[in-house]
Each structure stands twice: as structure tokens, then as C-alpha cells.
Amino acid sequence: MSNKDQAPLVYVKARDATRFATEMLKGQGVKSEDASTVAGCLVEADLRGVQTHGMSRLPIYVKRLEKGLVNAKPNMKVVKPVSACASLDGDNGLGFLVGIRAISEAMTMAEKSGVGVVGVYNSNHFGMAATYLLRAIQAGFFAFVFTNAAKSMPPWGGREGLFGTSPFAAGAPAGKLPSFVLDMSPAVAARGKIRLAEKRGESIPEGYALDENGTSTIDPTAALRGVVLPIGGYKGSGLSMLMEILSGVFTGANFGGDVPDQYTVWDRPQNVGHFFMALKPGIFVTEKGFRDRMDVLVSRIKKNPLAIGFDEIFMPGEIESCLEVERRQKGIPYMKSDVDLLAELASEYDVEKMPYRKD
């Protein structure tokens, strides 16, 4: 595609996007501190290039808050059946607030016991899974973060959606070298990519999706009526099952296709489930020893002889981290059409529009 055919971009400063999202959420009764927290999570996703989970999601959160399908002021409750495990009732709050409370509880237990596990129910979509990994890594913990979601992917061999494209996410701190931040979908391609292809009038590659009849398709419109496919066939399907078990079956949340789609179901809350685990690096070796050993591993990974066509080996999350630094300086690029939609939202709710600049 030539540059002249690409959608025009505009640039927004992170602080302006955060202010805008904060005011939008406060307008729906979310407490100022909580609104700022959620806004920060959305902008963090955009800064790291995960724009399917950033400001583009704000309108749906606002709409569900307005309709009372998400609790603006949740009273979350924690029950600890054993010393290193907790069950968190999110009280149907915004998933970001529930997730941050959960990873905080997991780290508190891990600090004392070496490990902390939190199972969450009665939550909602919690955005980018790396949001919680980064907080754990910054505090010096190794973490796993799983969630379930509305159905959009079948088990391997099936043709109807049963699992969400729930991320497999894990993170570990290093010393002086880049940390390990893995946040990946078990689907071959996110539905957001398919929506973009449809918008541009492009086809999608073979193997991305099935149509509603279970036939492989390169037509994005047919794909959106059907299902996306798991990475690695039965292997990706197995990962999705694991996350469904840990996040849904294990926690007491909805599971197995029962999580409502936040975009299409307007008569009940989602009751999304999450699973958080924090590990203290100093359990088996000292914390410094762990970080030093991580640096050795990362160094060996990055020094591996390059395959043809590659200039560098990156750690999972490293590209996103570099992108965040760049975007904090230059601004976050958004399609002008998306900023215009947010401007319409601002007018509807009498909030100051988000300023931007053209390149």
C-alpha cells in the first residue's frame, strides 16, 4: 500500500490522552483516582503499540458504565482460603481496577510466602495483560496473568466460538538487561486486524479464520461472522483451554462460552475471570542471583547468531518498551478517524476534546 493510500495519522501527547480518558470516566461516576488509574492503563497500551486495547476501547467502557452494566464504584472483597491464595470478588468493577487490586494482593502474599495466587470473579475486560506484568516486574516479582473473554475461537477441530482470544502472559525481571514480558494471544490474528482489513477493503491471509459455515476464508467480513483460529492448531487450542480452566472454572467466574460479549450483550454483566500469580525471585536463589542469572540468559539469547533477514534478536516486550520511550517523546499516533470518534464522544458528554497535532 502506498503512503497516499494509508489512513491519515495525528499525534496526541500521553498526558492529553490520559486527561481526556480520566474526565470521560469521571463523568460516569468513577472516582477521580480510579478514573486516572484506568486512563493510565489505556494510554500505556497505546504507548506500547497495543492499540487494540487502548483508547479505542474507551467508548465501550463509557457506554457500559452509563447503562449500569459495570459498577463505577465497586466494593471489592478478598477471601483467603489458605495463606498464599486469595479469591477476589471484583463487584463488577472495571477490569483494570480489579486487575490492579489482584496483582497487588498476589505480590503482598508473595513477599511473605514466596508465592501469591489470586483467583478473580465478577470482573470485566481488563485491557492489556502486560499492564499487570509490568507492575509486578517493577516491584521485583515474577508473574503470570491470565483471563478469559467472550467466545470468538473454537477448540481445534470445531467451528463455533467457545474460548476468547485470552492472552497468555508472563513476566520476569532481569538485572541490567531487558526483562521478559510475554503477552501473546493464542489466536493467529486478533479480530482487530481483521476489522482493519475489512475497513481497507483488503483480504486476509489464508489460515486466519473460518466463516460461519466452518470454511477457511480470506474475506474479512465473512471472518468476522465466523471465528478466528488458534496459533499452532491444537497447541494454541490447548493453551486457550488452560487459560479458560484457570481463569473461569477455577475462580468461579463464567466460563466455556458464557462470558457475554461486551459489544453486543446489553442485558447482563460479563462476570469475567482472571488468574494472577506472583513469585518472589529469591525463593531458590538470592534475588540478586536470579537477576544476574537472567542477565546471563538474556545476553546469550541476544548474542545468538542471526538468521538471514534479521538484524537483532529482541526479548519479548522489548520492542514495546522502546516504542513507549519514543511515543512519550513524539506523541501517540492515532488514525484521524478514531480521534474524530472520540471527539464526538466528548461532545456527547460535554468533555473537553483531546488536542492533537498533524505530522
Side-chain angles (χ1 to χ4, degrees):
M1 181 185 296
S2 65
N3 289 335
K4 68 179 182 179
D5 294 327
Q6 294 177 0
L9 294 176
V10 296
Y11 293 82
V12 178
K13 293 179 180 179
R15 66 172 180 268
D16 290 331
T18 303
R19 189 271 314 162
F20 176 75
T22 299
E23 292 304 311
M24 289 298 309
L25 293 165
K26 284 170 59 178
Q28 297 305 315
V30 180
K31 291 186 292 186
S32 181
E33 181 180 356
D34 289 346
S36 179
T37 296
V38 175
C41 293
L42 292 172
V43 173
E44 183 176 45
D46 285 339
L47 285 166
R48 293 177 65 84
V50 190
Q51 291 182 259
T52 53
H53 288 65
M55 291 288 285
S56 64
R57 298 268 185 166
L58 181 61
I60 194 63
Y61 300 140
V62 168
K63 189 171 183 179
R64 291 186 74 83
L65 283 162
E66 181 182 44
K67 291 185 175 296
L69 292 168
V70 175
N71 187 352
K73 297 177 180 177
N75 180 23
M76 292 179 253
K77 295 182 176 64
V78 175
V79 175
K80 294 184 66 177
V82 293
S83 61
C85 294
S87 173
L88 173 61
D89 177 354
D91 195 27
N92 194 34
L94 286 159
F96 304 91
L97 302 176
V98 180
I100 288 172
R101 173 70 181 276
I103 194 63
S104 297
E105 293 284 347
M107 290 189 291
T108 297
M109 290 185 289
E111 184 65 43
K112 181 178 180 180
S113 303
V115 60
V117 175
V118 178
V120 179
Y121 66 102
N122 206 5
S123 184
N124 289 281
H125 186 265
F126 74 175
M128 178 181 71
T131 295
Y132 314 101
L133 297 178
L134 293 169
R135 280 158 176 73
I137 288 169
Q138 288 162 6
F141 292 92
F142 187 173
F144 291 89
V145 175
F146 302 147
T147 186
N148 64 2
K151 59 185 180 181
S152 60
M153 187 169 69
W156 183 244
R159 70 178 193 185
E160 291 187 0
L162 184 62
F163 308 125
T165 53
S166 307
F168 185 95
K176 297 178 181 179
L177 296 181
S179 297
F180 173 81
V181 186
L182 177 67
D183 179 1
M184 69 175 198
S185 167
V188 175
R191 287 174 68 84
K193 288 186 178 180
I194 297 174
R195 289 191 185 97
L196 181 59
E198 182 185 43
K199 186 176 182 180
R200 291 178 173 175
E202 300 171 349
S203 61
I204 58 173
E206 187 77 31
Y208 268 27
L210 303 178
D211 65 19
E212 57 191 338
N213 297 315
T215 302
S216 182
T217 182
I218 61 171
D219 178 353
T221 301
L224 291 171
R225 289 198 297 263
V227 291
V228 296
L229 291 172
I231 56 172
Y234 63 89
K235 296 179 181 180
S237 181
L239 285 176
S240 294
M241 292 179 195
L242 172 63
M243 290 179 284
E244 193 72 27
I245 293 166
L246 287 172
S247 302
V249 178
F250 187 51
T251 63
N254 279 341
F255 67 94
D258 288 339
V259 175
D261 186 336
Q262 65 177 347
Y263 287 94
T264 61
V265 178
W266 298 99
D267 62 353
R268 62 190 185 280
Q270 286 191 291
N271 188 14
V272 173
H274 316 307
F275 176 91
F276 294 80
M277 181 165 66
L279 295 168
K280 192 171 177 60
I283 297 174
F284 304 120
V285 297
T286 65
E287 182 173 348
K288 182 180 184 303
F290 176 86
R291 289 180 179 271
D292 289 345
R293 289 164 66 84
M294 279 294 296
D295 276 354
V296 170
L297 175 62
V298 174
S299 177
R300 290 176 181 174
I301 290 169
K302 295 184 76 65
K303 290 179 180 179
N304 196 274
L306 296 173
I308 294 174
F310 288 83
D311 298 319
E312 184 178 352
I313 295 172
F314 293 97
M315 288 296 292
E318 187 178 1
I319 292 174
E320 291 84 350
S321 179
C322 293
L323 193 61
E324 179 175 356
V325 172
E326 177 185 318
R327 289 184 171 185
R328 283 195 182 279
Q329 294 174 345
K330 297 182 178 180
I332 304 169
Y334 294 104
M335 288 195 296
K336 177 64 164 52
S337 57
D338 290 338
V339 172
D340 288 343
L341 287 174
L342 291 173
E344 291 177 12
L345 193 71
S347 297
E348 181 179 352
Y349 292 97
D350 195 26
V351 170
E352 183 182 348
K353 295 178 182 179
M354 191 167 61
Y356 63 85
R357 65 173 175 79
K358 296 180 180 179
D359 191 14

